[in-house]
Amino acid sequence: MTDLSTVVTWVDARERLPHSGAPVAAAVTGRYPAEPGSASGDEFWLVLPMHFTALHWGKDGTEHHDCFVDSDGIVRLPYGPGGDESVTHWAELPTLPGAATRIVLGEGVPAALRNAYPAA
C-alpha cells in the first residue's frame, strides 16, 4: 500500500514568501459578504490552493507584486494592511501519492498512477 501520510509545514506570510510560480496551499482570512439585513458577514479563515507570483496582471490591468492567485484569477496579498482577503500562512503542496514530485505530465502519468495503485 502506498503511504498516503504527509506533513504540512505552515510558513507565516509576514516572515517569508514562496518562490515565484510556486503552487501552494494558502490560509486565507477575510469576511463573507453581508447577508441582506445584517451589518456585516461572518469572518472566515480557510485553506485554498493557489500559486504565488512576483508579478501578476489582473483581469482589469492592475499590476500586483508578491501576491497569491487562485484558479479563478482572484488576487490575495500576504497578510498585512489593505485588501478584503489576505493570506496569513502558506505551505508547499504535498507530493503526489507514492511520488517525489508534485506534477507528472504526459507519458509518465500511467506509470505514476500504477505506482500509486499497486495490485492488491
Side-chain angles (χ1 to χ4, degrees), residues 31-43:
R31 184 177 294 276
Y32 288 113
E35 294 293 322
S38 68
S40 64
D42 290 332
E43 288 184 277

Side-chain angles (χ1 to χ4, degrees), residues 5 7 10-11 32 36 41 68-71 73 77 88 95-96 109 111:
S5 299
V7 174
W10 289 103
V11 178
Y32 288 113
F68 295 84
V69 183
D70 72 13
S71 61
L77 300 175
T88 62
T95 59
L96 289 165
V109 172

